[in-house]
Amino acid sequence: MDFFTLTLIKAGIVAAILLTTLAYLQWAERKLLAHIQLRLGPSRVGPHGLLQPLADVIKLLTKEDLLPAHVNKTLYMIAPFLAIALALIPISVVPFGPEIEVFGVNTHLQLTDLNIGLLFILAISSVGVYSVVLAGWASNNKYALLGSLRSAAQMISYELPLAVALASALLMANTLSLREIADSQAGYYLGFIPRWSVFQLPMPQIISFAVFLIAGFAETNRIPFDLPEAETELVAGFHTEYSSMKFASFFMAEYANIITMTCIATLLFLGGWHPLWPAAYGSSFVPSIVFFSGSAIALYHGLHPARPKDRYSLPAVAIAFLVAGLLFLVPALGGILTPLFWFAAKSGFLLFLFIWVRGTLPRFRYDQLMRFAWTYLFPVAMANLLVTGVLVAVFA
Amino acid sequence: MDSPYFFIVLLMLAAVAFALTPLALAWLWAKFFSPRKPGPDKNATYECGLESKGDAWIRFKSEYYLYAIVFLIFDVETIFLLPFAVAFGGLSAGAFIAMMIFLLLLVEGLVWAWKKGVLTWK
């Protein structure tokens, strides 16, 4: 099979998975927030509200597409398109797993490997600020303008600690290719401590991981840094004047950016697809054990249903989990799926963290937000970089 | 044909298509099924029900500009930092010290801006 066809197939798979994740990330967020606040969340459309994303898409597609009279029409139309296009591009250089063999074809679990992959992602995601600024400016609305200005200032301020945190991780990886960065974190100290960046000697990158995550929250305009769309002050910030699918585009872009951010964090700091402990100690059985326990819990609650419909829905979930767990035990599939499982587990945990923080923390005040970026986060990132540089120079 | 950049361009086009499809679908739906019914109130600037006074395209706080300038300086610095970090393994001691001095000079710039009060939002 030639390289071109292979890339097309992989692009199709990645697009399908990415769009499903985008849709269900929103469902998961609403459901988790609801449970944090002791509510039920979406529960009407389909079992446990699982068809809610579909219903939302239909609603947004069929809404009236308002074009306010006072806007700059060209820029108003371009902004949401830019937002979503720029948010989707970075995923094309993200590797999800090592080289695998399917039906006799060797391929990497990655769409295309740039030797400057990380730089590419940084470049594309910083262009993303244009969509926000254009949206706010073109809307000719005071709330939108304020929101977009805040967002631009915030995104450029937090981009610095983010880039410096990345640079200190790169001091040890010594490459910009995301695949090689992940591979530089393979192996274990003393046979069981993973060589992930956050644990790697001579300078564990815990501080830069924390800086990266905090800056990542700010870059994606998430709580506690969601000043650009602070409802209580600015209605909806830069997308106040948007409706229908244009409005949805900004939301899709936000979630796509979050996914990219968690993927980079996983690749640079959490060792990508490398498991937490070596396969010699049974880490390749973790996926099966997780799915089997999930299956057992679902079956138990299905047999002791809290609501009548649980009697049918939960055993179905149990069977699905059982099948998923068994798939990991098939030798041919296990080798492909296990790295993907670890990658998904780490990114999934970070995605959960994004939602958890939203359910927990209040919003910053704007002066606090800017002060935090420049006088706390950036110096910490710089100090970490200097210390890492000196330690790596001395010990390596 | 095997160049990764060729595929990047293809994937960019795919991303553009993915971005355009929902927008085009919504536009087509609006064109055929929901006739546009604009009105002076509906198309007015949204300001929570109050009538909007004046344009939003006005002058705004100059602090944003100062942050942009400071950002520009340090962003150029990070552009130098990334290749430095990548080539770190093969650098001589002199190059390492030069880079550290460069970093310290920029830190000095940060301290100056901090002392000057540029970084305090008023």
Side-chain angles (χ1 to χ4, degrees), chain B residues 13-48:
Chain B
L13 291 179
V16 166
F18 266 109
L20 273 182
T21 314
L23 290 172
L25 277 179
W27 181 77
L28 283 175
W29 180 275
K31 195 171 161 66
F32 290 112
F33 297 106
S34 63
R36 189 163 277 178
K37 296 187 193 106
D41 288 334
K42 200 193 226 175
N43 283 6
T45 309
Y46 180 75
E47 269 180 28
C48 307

Side-chain angles (χ1 to χ4, degrees), chain A residues 185-317:
Chain A
Q185 301 170 51
Y188 300 89
Y189 292 116
L190 307 175
F192 66 96
I193 303 172
R195 283 170 56 100
W196 301 354
S197 263
V198 281
F199 300 124
Q200 207 173 62
L201 296 176
M203 177 70 188
Q205 290 300 318
I206 294 211
I207 297 171
S208 53
F209 178 54
V211 170
F212 180 86
L213 266 191
I214 295 169
F217 276 93
E219 282 285 294
T220 48
N221 295 336
R222 294 282 299 188
I223 285 177
F225 304 107
D226 68 334
L227 269 293
E229 39 197 295
E231 296 89 352
T232 42
E233 318 162 23
L234 292 178
V235 189
F238 59 88
H239 51 65
T240 304
E241 291 284 340
Y242 282 89
S243 59
S244 175
M245 211 60 210
K246 295 201 194 79
F247 169 77
S249 288
F250 284 113
F251 265 81
M252 278 161 70
E254 183 183 321
Y255 285 101
N257 281 329
I258 293 172
I259 292 174
T260 315
M261 206 52 89
T262 54
C263 286
I264 304 175
T266 306
L267 283 168
L268 263 129
F269 297 102
L270 298 182
W273 51 86
H274 298 292
L276 185 53
W277 66 90
Y281 298 120
S283 73
S284 46
F285 294 111
V286 170
S288 299
I289 292 169
V290 168
F291 279 113
F292 287 154
S293 346
S295 172
I297 292 169
L299 196 63
Y300 175 81
H301 285 287
L303 294 177
H304 304 85
R307 290 165 294 180
K309 62 184 173 187
D310 285 354
R311 193 185 301 279
Y312 309 103
S313 64
L314 286 181
V317 172

Side-chain angles (χ1 to χ4, degrees), chain A residues 8-132:
Chain A
L8 273 186
I9 294 171
K10 284 198 284 186
I13 296 172
V14 168
I17 292 175
L18 180 68
L19 293 180
T20 317
T21 319
L22 273 182
Y24 278 95
L25 187 56
Q26 208 176 0
W27 173 83
E29 170 151 36
R30 288 173 69 177
K31 208 70 181 167
L32 274 169
L33 278 182
H35 281 281
I36 288 173
Q37 297 163 355
L38 298 177
R39 294 183 286 118
L40 275 181
S43 60
R44 300 281 163 163
V45 194
H48 298 275
L50 272 170
L51 296 178
Q52 188 71 43
L54 198 66
D56 283 342
V57 167
I58 294 172
K59 181 200 80 172
L60 286 162
L61 263 178
T62 52
K63 276 227 163 184
E64 185 181 350
D65 202 0
L66 270 180
L67 184 62
H70 48 87
V71 300
N72 180 332
K73 291 196 177 49
T74 325
L75 295 181
Y76 181 84
M77 305 282 238
I78 287 176
F81 157 71
L82 259 188
I84 184 71
L86 289 171
L88 288 176
I89 291 172
I91 216 78
S92 57
V93 294
V94 170
F96 304 100
E99 189 172 12
I100 54 157
E101 196 187 326
V102 198
F103 305 124
V105 183
N106 279 314
T107 180
H108 288 277
L109 289 171
Q110 182 183 22
L111 289 183
T112 178
D113 185 46
L114 282 189
N115 50 9
I116 52 153
L118 192 61
L119 205 58
F120 177 76
I121 291 184
L122 277 180
I124 297 288
S125 54
S126 25
V127 180
V129 74
Y130 276 102
S131 63
V132 172

Side-chain angles (χ1 to χ4, degrees), chain A residues 341-364:
Chain A
F341 170 82
W342 282 103
F343 189 86
K346 291 172 197 172
S347 322
F349 172 73
L350 291 177
L351 286 175
F352 172 70
L353 196 69
F354 269 78
I355 299 170
W356 190 6
V357 165
R358 177 164 175 196
T360 314
L361 294 185
R363 185 180 296 135
F364 270 103

